[in-house]
Amino acid sequence: MNLSEHASILIVVIPLVASFINIFLIFLKRSLCYPFFVLVLGICFALSIDILYTVINFGTVRYKLGGWMPPWGIEYVIDYLNAYVIVIVSSISFIIAIYSKDSVKKEITKARLPYFYSTYLLLTTGLLGITITGDIFNLYVFLEIASLSAYALIAIGEKRSVLASYNYIIMGTIGACFYLLGVGYIYIITGSLNINDLTRLLPSMYESKVTLTALAFFVVGIAIKIALFPLHRWLPDSYTFAPSAVSAFASATVTKVGIYVLIRISFTLFEPRFLTEITPLSNMLIWWATIAIFFGSIIAIGQTDFKRTLSYILIAEIGYMVLGANLGNKEGFIGAVLHMLNDAVMIACLFMIAGGIFYRVGSRNLEDFNGLNKNMPITMSAFTIAALSMIGIPPTAGFFSKWYLILGAIEARHWISASALIFSSLVNAFIFFKLLEKVYFGKNVGVLKYNFRELPLSMMIPILIMALAILIIGFYSGEIISSVIKFTVPAGF
Amino acid sequence: MEIIIGKYNYWIYISLMMIGFYAMIAKKNLVKKLVGMNIFQTAIILFFISTAYKKDATIPILVKSQEAINPAQYINPLPHVLMLTAIVVMVSTFGVALAVIMMIYKQYKTLDEDEIIEILKKKK
Amino acid sequence: METIISLKPILAVIVSTIASFLIAITGDRARNLRETWTILAAVIKFGIVISMLPDILNGKIIEYTLLKITPELILHFKVDALGIFFAITASFLWIITSFYSIGYMRGLNEHGQTRYFAYFAIALSATMGVAFSANMFTAFLFYEIITISTFPLVAHKETEEAKRGARKYLAYLLGTSVAFQLTAIVITYNITGNLNFSYKGVFIGANISHTIITITFLLYIAGITKAAIMPLHSWLPAAMVAPTPVSALLHAVAVVKTGVFMVMRVVLHIFGIDLLKSFDLGTVLAIIASFTIISASIMALKQDNLKLRLAYSTVSQLSYIVLGVALLTPSGITGSIMHIVGHAFGKITLFFTAGAIYVATHKTKISELDGIGKQMPFTMGAFTVGALSMIGIPPFAGFISKWYLSLGALEAGDIFVLAVLATSTILNACYFMPIIYIAFLKESKSIINNRKINEAPMLIVIPLVIAAIGTVFIFFYPSIFIDIIKVIILAVIGNN
């Protein structure tokens, strides 16, 4: 059996099975759980690279589950866009898995650790499943697997996290149910669930009201899942109170995968012209996203909690991606897709740093950043890089996606969206330079209180990898665009 | 009238869904919200199942001896299958939500949203 | 035009970055070694820059493409006459400033010296980067690096006041560059698909409306806040909380000259003279610059803090350069480029003296300087030279640039500009002459140290005397610079 041939199914099945095995490992030997957990995610990462390689060299991968021919059987379809998102998800989950070793110990009781690992693996399964599948109902199932494990993971955090998790459950379920309704309507008029099949069938039904209803349900459902303002209420609390590793992982991947689904639905399931000419959805989403950017940025200024600040910045960043994808030109779309990668890396890095600071200082309050540079210079240099990238200073990665997004907005003559992007850069500059000033020039009030040194290696190395990745991705953005992202742009653009 | 009676299944699903939706948003008690969520999900199941139904059709089980297969005689099995999966998903959502509610109760000794918010404010 | 592919521009950029690492590694333990790195880097940098000069004077261009990040965003270095002119000025003055810095920092026994020297070196790297950029993206990148690397220098004292100043500095420089300059760059790319500096501008042949061009132009001017054009000038006085060598090199040479240099690049190589003439945008810029010249001079009059007065004087003088370019005539451009070097030498002398006075007497206010000329004759002598050069009296560098600027105004037939130049000369005299008068002719009130020579350390006095001599030198041998300027003008305007 050729392993590479089945990579697309293995990448979903391996973490799924591993999450069960992990629980049984408790009875065998507790200390094995963590290495096993990292190993599995390492394998996933390797597989994802292999899939990307296959896609680049041999084109779209189609894997028929159980040998059933589509559209009857479930089909896994991997083109450039999936392969790209799969690599993002699996690499981030792998790196944060390493990071979680020490970080989680401080925030979760020891007895719960193996369950944490299992749930984490389930979340990975769900996210990878969403991206890999070519069937809209199967996508719903994976969406719920991912969401359920995310609810659980968030609930493990500090005290307030339970309530946050509950709100997330309510909102998330509404989102998922709306999505399911959309699936139902699509199924009623076409009798198919296979995305490729639907791409073929749907154009003749664009005028039907049922199609419009389905689209509306899809978009609102996914908007809840990606926390697009004003449906964002669950996000800040959840990511603030969840364990740091979870915040980092979920913020970096869950929303990106959601954006992926949105792009899939809007531009693969339907044709771009459906969103621009037949319905005003693209235009609506542009305004919607623009407001989200303004809102997220403005609220982020007023926060005193670092993780909450990051959460609101994330809400603005989600706006970036939705905006870029809907601008209706190549530049904007490239910007959005590139930003999926950049934002994942930046946000993960910043949340990991937040976790690191919490690990040492025991606080997430912005006031406690004073003079941290004296204690943890290496982590803080990583923080500086991530912050500069958030602002969009070249040559960090953040600049390049922002460049394309602004270019796209101007190309589409959407001046307000362009100014929203710039406004959010300025807000980020304000927030992060205020912090950097504290970090580098602040007076460390209780020197004795902060008598500690750098983070443990298991936390510092992942942070450094992410910081370096920001720089490397920045320098290779042209390469990434020309070898992957260029091919994800829908045909109509 | 035609549109109400002829499509009564949709009307039922919509009204059920709205009841559930209302409960999820407006109720203050966390468990009642959850009940609302359940109604909401059940409505969707109803919706799927009712789309599969055809007049004068029977359950889709093939008997070997039969001569020709006429698809119009059988109701569509796929929505049923989908809903089996969906039910599993919904049950697990419900399970997770109940577990979370138990944790909330342990922490705050109440399940009323307003009271919890009151407690949180006091802590600050 | 012949093009040479060479690594030299990159080496010129990178040498001080390497020095910065070495400085950081060496640290406070081996101070002499650490200072050696600075001096070494400064000398090597100047050597590399000078070694490129002969080729440039022969009308050649040195290029190197470092990295194609995306098809349109390319890290591309190109050394042309304008770039090398700026690079020579900055890298030469860095050598002097390095010695001065050492004297100043040790004289005051400042904290965080390693950080100071390390970031100083990075700032110079980035300045070279701007000088040698071949396109707007590369220039923007280094422009931002300058801003960020000088932030720690401005906040060096770590007091509340220093932090406030640094915050303002950053808010103005970074904020406007992200908000306006980046937008302008994106619009430029969107219209033309090209960001390379070219002699006739990138907009040639593009079919664009008057409105868009005007907006883009104004966005550029507002975005390049480093040129301290009013009303976006107030970061410069705020940045005076920095140690004096920083004010001297960065806020009289590297940072602000980067600003005017970028304005020149935008006027000459992005828009092109013909386009601006046809849209009459030069006049707009000239009016803004004239306004800045006059009002900054008036503000300088009422400053009692010596460094603040110098800062407002800088704001005003920078707009001379902008004004010269805005005239869009050969002599105007000559004058404005000449003023880059003329003002650099003059102003650095003035700042050096301000620092020397601070080190020797801890005085910062003009009203306290009674009779200081007798106590510090060399310093105040240099001050006089610098001040006279600023006013534009021969035989000092300032005269030459003002001469050309006036010539440019006549060429453009703009009597208004001539009047501005004349008024500002009078104002310059008004705010500089009293200081000279106070220093030399007023009797000191304090009895101690009176009439006794009490100069600052040699490492401070010698650099400032050299800078003052440089000011005179430029007056007598302007041909070195004029030759380079001829190459620039030839490329931009053509043979007439």
Side-chain angles (χ1 to χ4, degrees):
Chain A
M1 186 181 83
N2 186 355
L3 198 71
S4 184
E5 198 177 296
H6 295 276
S8 42
I9 182 75
L10 285 176
I11 199 170
V12 180
V13 169
I14 288 178
L16 182 67
V17 174
S19 76
F20 288 105
I21 297 177
N22 210 336
I23 293 180
F24 293 112
L25 273 182
I26 304 172
F27 305 110
L28 195 66
K29 196 159 192 264
R30 263 196 118 84
S31 58
L32 274 178
C33 286
Y34 174 75
F36 178 70
F37 162 65
V38 174
L39 177 74
V40 169
L41 289 169
I43 293 171
C44 279
F45 178 53
L47 283 173
S48 75
I49 298 286
D50 179 65
I51 291 174
L52 184 65
Y53 175 81
T54 318
V55 170
I56 289 177
N57 288 301
F58 306 106
T60 308
V61 177
R62 290 173 186 283
Y63 186 88
K64 292 157 197 71
L65 239 60
W68 287 86
M69 286 308 288
W72 297 282
I74 292 169
E75 185 191 24
Y76 282 0
V77 182
I78 308 166
D79 59 8
Y80 282 95
L81 187 59
N82 309 40
Y84 173 77
V85 179
I86 288 167
V87 172
I88 296 176
V89 171
S90 58
S91 57
I92 300 255
S93 76
F94 175 53
I95 289 168
I96 295 179
I98 301 172
Y99 168 87
S100 71
K101 184 182 180 224
D102 283 308
S103 154
V104 165
K105 270 184 193 159
K106 199 116 181 176
E107 296 165 28
I108 299 175
T109 47
K110 215 176 168 197
R112 283 179 177 176
L113 276 182
Y115 303 108
F116 166 79
Y117 298 141
S118 285
T119 330
Y120 188 103
L121 284 169
L122 264 184
L123 179 54
T124 315
T125 312
L127 295 171
L128 289 172
I130 295 173
T131 31
I132 219 161
T133 185
D135 180 290
I136 48 175
F137 185 79
N138 197 232
L139 199 152
Y140 163 76
V141 175
F142 280 120
L143 194 68
E144 282 301 73
I145 294 181
S147 303
L148 283 173
S149 27
Y151 306 147
L153 281 174
I154 285 165
I156 324 180
E158 52 189 276
K159 276 193 166 177
R160 290 263 316 260
S161 72
V162 191
L163 196 64
S165 168
Y166 183 80
N167 287 332
Y168 186 14
I169 291 177
I170 297 289
M171 289 291 277
T173 309
I174 296 176
C177 285
F178 276 12
Y179 178 85
L180 186 57
L181 276 171
V183 173
Y185 281 107
I186 289 285
Y187 181 71
I188 290 174
I189 52 165
T190 61
S192 176
L193 294 170
N194 184 293
I195 292 182
N196 280 324
D197 207 25
L198 287 169
T199 315
R200 200 169 44 79
L201 291 170
L202 275 173
S204 58
M205 313 192 180
Y206 279 170
E207 302 300 330
S208 159
K209 285 222 170 58
V210 183
T211 322
L212 295 180
T213 320
L215 181 67
F217 274 124
F218 275 141
V219 170
V220 176
I222 298 162
I224 293 176
K225 288 280 184 194
I226 59 175
L228 190 59
F229 170 83
L231 305 169
H232 67 281
R233 286 292 299 278
W234 59 270
L235 188 140
D237 270 352
S238 303
Y239 290 172
T240 307
F241 300 117
S244 324
V246 176
S247 309
F249 181 37
S251 62
T253 55
V254 172
T255 47
K256 305 301 161 304
V257 170
I259 301 273
Y260 159 80
V261 178
L262 190 62
I263 292 176
R264 227 352 138 214
I265 300 278
S266 326
F267 300 117
T268 309
L269 199 60
F270 297 99
E271 284 169 4
R273 73 182 171 92
F274 182 62
L275 276 87
T276 49
E277 289 162 26
I278 302 171
T279 62
L281 188 74
S282 259
N283 216 350
M284 256 171 61
L285 278 174
I286 288 175
W287 286 107
W288 194 354
T290 306
I291 295 168
I293 296 172
F294 275 120
F295 170 84
S297 305
I298 290 169
I299 304 288
I301 298 175
Q303 303 304 319
T304 51
D305 183 311
F306 185 43
K307 273 166 92 175
R308 198 174 276 274
T309 314
L310 291 179
S311 304
Y312 280 106
I313 292 177
L314 178 64
I315 289 172
E317 305 269 322
I318 289 160
Y320 283 24
M321 287 173 269
V322 176
L323 172 71
N326 285 291
L327 281 169
N329 53 39
K330 207 172 156 220
E331 287 81 7
F333 196 87
I334 289 177
V337 177
L338 183 61
H339 201 68
M340 282 163 79
L341 170 66
N342 292 346
D343 186 52
V345 176
M346 292 179 314
I347 277 283
C349 185
L350 284 169
F351 267 111
M352 287 194 322
I353 290 164
I357 292 168
F358 188 75
Y359 184 82
R360 285 300 193 205
V361 185
S363 160
R364 296 187 310 259
N365 200 310
L366 297 183
E367 293 306 313
D368 293 324
F369 276 56
N370 280 329
L372 277 183
N373 182 46
K374 294 183 184 77
N375 304 98
M376 29 213 296
I378 299 173
T379 313
M380 284 306 127
S381 49
F383 176 61
T384 313
I385 293 174
L388 292 181
S389 181
M390 270 294 179
I391 302 165
I393 305 285
T396 52
F399 171 77
F400 294 96
S401 43
K402 212 163 262 182
W403 165 268
Y404 279 106
L405 287 168
I406 298 176
L407 198 60
I410 286 178
E411 175 81 39
R413 297 289 178 264
H414 262 281
W415 301 104
I416 297 187
S417 310
S419 51
L421 290 167
I422 285 168
F423 174 77
S424 131
S425 297
L426 291 179
V427 168
N428 285 355
F430 174 78
I431 292 171
F432 283 111
F433 272 105
K434 209 172 75 181
L435 275 179
L436 285 176
E437 191 196 298
K438 282 201 172 94
V439 166
Y440 286 100
F441 294 106
K443 287 279 173 297
N444 197 323
V445 187
V447 185
L448 286 173
K449 186 173 134 204
Y450 295 164
N451 189 11
F452 55 78
R453 296 201 62 75
E454 268 295 350
L455 295 171
L457 278 182
S458 82
M459 290 171 83
M460 202 166 79
I461 289 172
I463 291 176
L464 281 183
I465 290 175
M466 284 302 198
L468 282 179
I470 292 173
L471 290 176
I472 293 167
I473 291 169
F475 280 117
Y476 285 93
S477 9
E479 193 70 19
I480 296 171
I481 290 169
S482 64
S483 56
V484 181
I485 299 179
K486 206 170 69 189
F487 302 101
T488 65
V489 180
F493 285 2
Chain B
M1 272 330 259
E2 173 71 12
I3 200 163
I4 295 175
I5 296 170
K7 314 239 164 162
Y8 69 94
N9 57 330
Y10 294 113
W11 288 109
I12 292 175
Y13 120 76
I14 287 172
S15 36
L16 270 180
M17 192 171 96
M18 285 304 130
I19 293 168
F21 200 49
Y22 169 79
M24 280 169 94
I25 292 169
K27 289 288 168 199
K28 291 294 169 203
N29 189 300
L30 298 186
V31 176
K32 279 185 184 165
K33 274 184 181 224
L34 220 53
V35 172
M37 186 175 99
N38 229 352
I39 298 174
F40 188 81
Q41 291 174 327
T42 316
I44 293 172
I45 295 177
L46 194 66
F47 161 68
F48 265 83
I49 300 294
S50 69
T51 58
Y53 180 73
K54 291 172 198 154
K55 225 170 195 177
D56 301 327
T58 174
I59 43 168
I61 298 174
L62 282 185
V63 184
K64 254 190 182 158
S65 65
Q66 223 168 13
E67 318 89 58
I69 302 163
N70 180 8
Q73 281 181 352
Y74 302 104
I75 55 173
N76 188 349
L78 195 71
H80 296 77
V81 181
L82 297 183
M83 282 311 103
L84 270 181
T85 322
I87 288 168
V88 173
V89 170
M90 287 162 189
V91 166
S92 26
T93 314
F94 200 59
V96 173
L98 281 177
V100 168
I101 283 193
M102 276 171 64
M103 285 166 75
I104 291 177
Y105 189 74
K106 268 185 199 156
Q107 250 181 54
Y108 302 103
K109 302 287 172 221
T110 172
L111 284 176
D112 190 288
E113 209 175 17
D114 289 338
E115 283 174 35
I116 294 175
I117 290 169
E118 206 53 38
I119 293 171
L120 286 176
K121 267 185 194 159
K122 263 182 209 159
K123 267 186 190 166
K124 271 179 190 169
Chain C
M1 200 170 285
E2 203 180 331
T3 309
I4 306 167
I5 308 286
S6 161
L7 263 175
K8 274 181 187 170
I10 300 201
L11 290 177
V13 171
I14 218 142
V15 67
S16 51
T17 313
I18 296 170
S20 160
F21 279 113
L22 291 172
I23 291 167
I25 292 167
T26 312
D28 274 325
R29 276 157 296 176
R31 286 167 60 180
N32 289 332
L33 180 62
R34 182 187 69 196
E35 264 70 294
T36 315
W37 297 129
T38 305
I39 305 282
L40 213 58
V43 173
I44 293 173
K45 185 180 283 254
F46 184 64
I48 296 171
V49 173
I50 282 292
S51 76
M52 288 188 282
L53 186 60
D55 283 333
I56 302 296
L57 283 176
N58 287 333
K60 293 175 191 165
I61 282 180
I62 300 173
E63 276 195 72
Y64 193 83
T65 307
L66 183 61
L67 191 63
K68 282 192 173 174
I69 296 181
T70 70
E72 67 274 13
L73 303 176
I74 302 164
L75 276 181
H76 188 181
F77 295 91
K78 185 174 87 181
V79 187
D80 61 359
L82 185 58
I84 200 140
F85 185 91
F86 179 44
I88 289 175
T89 314
S91 62
F92 177 71
L93 288 175
W94 190 33
I95 303 179
I96 302 179
T97 314
S98 300
F99 284 107
Y100 181 84
S101 288
I102 297 166
Y104 183 87
M105 296 308 266
R106 291 191 178 178
L108 287 176
N109 216 355
E110 283 269 359
H111 69 279
Q113 291 191 18
T114 307
R115 180 181 75 197
Y116 171 87
F117 284 109
Y119 280 107
F120 216 120
I122 292 180
L124 257 292
S125 267
T127 310
M128 290 301 123
V130 173
F132 295 150
S133 300
N135 56 38
M136 206 58 215
F137 164 69
T138 317
F140 178 71
L141 185 144
F142 285 110
Y143 182 95
E144 297 291 38
I145 294 178
I146 294 181
T147 308
I148 292 167
S149 62
T150 49
F151 175 73
L153 297 176
V154 177
H156 183 82
K157 280 182 186 154
E158 296 189 17
T159 58
E160 248 337 286
E161 192 201 353
K163 276 195 246 171
R164 216 178 308 125
R167 241 174 266 155
K168 192 168 188 182
Y169 177 77
L170 196 73
Y172 270 81
L173 295 189
L174 194 84
T176 53
S177 70
V178 170
F180 304 134
Q181 197 184 339
L182 183 60
T183 319
I185 297 173
V186 177
I187 296 176
T188 311
Y189 178 73
N190 184 255
I191 296 171
T192 65
N194 182 6
L195 291 176
N196 292 329
F197 297 132
S198 46
Y199 291 119
K200 297 291 168 199
V202 296
F203 284 98
I204 271 194
N207 180 27
I208 21 160
S209 67
H210 193 178
T211 331
I212 295 269
I213 279 288
T214 312
I215 289 174
T216 315
F217 186 67
L218 289 178
L219 279 174
Y220 269 119
I221 300 302
I224 306 173
T225 327
K226 287 202 168 94
I229 298 171
M230 278 190 184
L232 295 168
H233 68 284
S234 62
W235 62 272
L236 189 56
M240 287 302 133
V241 293
T244 310
V246 174
S247 309
L249 186 61
L250 299 178
H251 304 128
V253 184
V255 173
V256 291
K257 293 289 150 56
T258 304
V260 288
F261 178 77
M262 293 267 281
V263 171
M264 277 189 184
R265 282 284 196 209
V266 167
V267 169
L268 300 177
H269 296 157
I270 292 284
F271 286 89
I273 289 180
D274 297 334
L275 184 83
L276 290 182
K277 263 187 189 158
S278 66
F279 283 112
D280 212 17
L281 286 171
T283 320
V284 177
L285 187 57
I287 290 170
I288 303 174
S290 309
F291 173 75
T292 309
I293 292 175
I294 301 293
S295 45
S297 301
I298 293 169
M299 285 181 189
L301 275 176
K302 61 174 190 191
Q303 304 298 330
D304 189 34
N305 185 310
L306 181 56
K307 275 176 82 180
L308 275 183
R309 188 173 286 195
L310 293 178
Y312 278 106
S313 155
T314 307
V315 174
S316 141
Q317 299 279 333
L318 286 172
S319 279
Y320 275 58
I321 304 174
V322 177
L323 181 66
V325 170
L327 290 172
L328 303 175
T329 61
S331 296
I333 297 170
T334 309
S336 96
I337 298 172
M338 203 56 214
H339 204 58
I340 289 187
V341 64
H343 174 250
F345 274 87
K347 200 41 78 58
I348 209 167
T349 312
L350 292 174
F351 272 113
F352 279 173
T353 53
I357 293 168
Y358 182 65
V359 171
T361 65
H362 280 274
K363 279 172 184 163
T364 55
K365 287 195 177 133
I366 294 164
S367 49
E368 298 168 343
L369 296 183
D370 298 356
I372 199 145
K374 282 155 200 155
Q375 189 187 329
M376 308 173 73
F378 290 106
T379 308
M380 289 322 288
F383 184 90
T384 313
V385 172
L388 294 179
S389 173
M390 285 296 113
I391 299 167
I393 294 172
F396 304 108
F399 172 74
I400 301 215
S401 41
K402 235 167 216 180
W403 170 264
Y404 276 107
L405 283 173
S406 317
L407 219 55
L410 288 175
E411 255 171 30
D414 217 335
I415 302 300
F416 169 71
V417 172
L418 211 57
V420 168
L421 288 175
T423 319
S424 87
T425 304
I426 295 167
L427 286 168
N428 284 348
C430 288
Y431 61 74
F432 276 127
M433 293 317 269
I435 305 176
I436 299 170
Y437 170 78
I438 288 170
F440 284 106
L441 299 177
K442 242 185 173 176
E443 279 301 313
S444 174
K445 283 166 199 150
S446 60
I447 308 155
I448 317 156
N449 283 343
N450 199 10
R451 290 176 186 283
K452 204 167 90 190
I453 290 181
N454 179 21
E455 277 283 4
M458 290 305 272
L459 265 177
I460 292 182
V461 178
I462 292 173
L464 72 86
V465 172
I466 292 175
I469 293 171
T471 316
V472 184
F473 179 81
I474 293 170
F475 177 80
F476 287 108
Y477 299 96
S479 58
I480 308 168
F481 298 100
I482 299 290
D483 284 348
I484 306 178
I485 296 171
K486 273 181 188 155
V487 179
I488 302 170
I489 305 276
L490 192 72
V492 178
I493 294 183
N495 270 323
N496 41 9

